[in-house]
Amino acid sequence: MITKVSRRHLIGLSFIICHLSFSAALTSCADYNETDSFKAEPDPAAVLPYTDLGAVKSYIDKSTYPNMALGATVRLTEFNKQELQHAAIVANFDNVSFGTSLMSGTIVNAKGVMNFLDMNDLLAHVQDIGYEVYGSPLFANANQADEWLVRLTAPIEVAVDYVEGKEVNYNEMTTFEGTAISGKPTIEKYDGQNVLKIPTLAKVNIIEGFDVDPSAKYTTTFWVRADKDATFTVNFSGNVIPGAGKDGKWTFKAGKWTKIVVEAQSAPEVSKGYLTIENTRSGVIYVQKAQVGYYPDNHRQQTAKEISDTINYAINAWCDGFMEINKGRINAFDLIDEPIDVKSQLENGMFDLKHSTEKIFWQDILGSENYAPVVSKAASEAYQRYEGKPEELRFFISETGLEDAKKLESLNYWIKIWDAKGAKIDGINAKLNLVYSEDATVQAANEASLNTLLSNLAATGKLIRLSNFDIKYQDATGANVTVDKISAVQRQRLADYYGYVIKCYMTKIPKDKQAGMCKSNLVDTTSDPVGLWSYDSKKDWVRNATYKAFCDALSGK
């Protein structure tokens, strides 16, 4: 449990936030950051009829609804600025969440290095002001540390022996029988022996006809001599291999036999190997002999057990790193995010979990039935290891589209399996996708769907949290009404529906199972009128009808 600081401390903090916001941007403070009797003056953004309203969260009767809480979502970097959105959230909402900002995909890099700097700043601040954070999903299929997991489960290097390959000895030849792409190479007597003569500008395969594997590493060795300092290019089985000379040329000094070693891999589409010399104008090149050998691919795929051990290591490393920074300050988390696949059914008709052949999904390694038991155990143990109090820890499964009764039934099916195997799953975080429609028939169906969802959620017996609590407004044709087009009458209808949703939640979800509701957008977006605040002509935040609807609904009006 986060230790609460004094009201005086919070009021002082509110004054500091107000002062900074007012000085920097001439924004209203009392309109969004009011604590008890404290109110910043003057209030340039206050507009009738909402100036007399208090902070939204103050309208929750905790004696009647002890578990009801109101949350808000914001980007972590924005909250850490401690400016306008921070002030609005701290004053009006009970807790804050940060979307993907605290997920492993944001924190863990490809080498497994975990960057908790922003999280550490956040937790130090919320501990100081006595505020609560709702934790981002600890495990999911998206926004995970995919590059790290790929690196951990990559093929393992093993020792391999060098394999002798083909050899061509031009000392033993009288005619050239290889491939000349251009020019006329010949076998000539030079320095008392037969050698391959490559004229200027000729392009010749000095060794060819051996099998190649693109994953193997080949070493081609040949001995050359010239009467002038020589330069040439090399192509090994479809790959141009740069030398150390100017413009990637290979070079050697005149007057003595020189050993050239080319290490390379073949191009993927090539099955028969070769090494091509393309001579320049520097002079004739003589080749005595050439040979090629290779090291086979020195990697092997990890066994199923090795991958399982590796993934369990990753799970524990991630949980341990996160909870060490957390130190018991975040007590409620989405344990698993969006596990259900509506496109895949089990034999019993329930939807399966998501699976992938392209990415690493935790459940594919752990097994579907062991997914939540394994990750909840790792997270719980790490939480307790670093100052967390087990009686305060809450894990939720978050999912979208639960208005689909079969999807919710399937989620509950999996939760029961996981519960039976010892998983800690305290609640369901239902991500909403709400619309208000001017078409009466459509709107009646929207409301019926909402009520059915809440009844079905209540029947699970789990704690219930609603998130993504934004409502879009559609006209009778189904077109979205944008923020620049919405009228006062339409805004009031939208506000009334917000109030309706809040009241339905507070009446249909048992009081001891309420885990609260989380608003996504505090202020209208550039397109949708989804906020409790709107922008005025000066881009200041002003309360709108939705702000009042929240206050009224939470107070039971």
Side-chain angles (χ1 to χ4, degrees), residues 49-50 53 492 495 532 543-553 557:
Y50 309 121
L53 294 173
Q492 187 58 57
L532 285 73
R543 295 169 179 169
N544 60 40
T546 299
Y547 187 104
K548 184 176 187 302
F550 266 67
C551 297
D552 289 346
K557 292 183 180 178

Side-chain angles (χ1 to χ4, degrees), residues 436-443 473-477 481 490 493:
Y436 175 85
S437 175
E438 289 183 346
D439 184 307
T441 301
V442 173
Q443 182 55 21
Y473 192 102
Q474 293 182 348
D475 63 21
T477 70
V481 176
Q490 290 172 320
R493 291 177 189 151

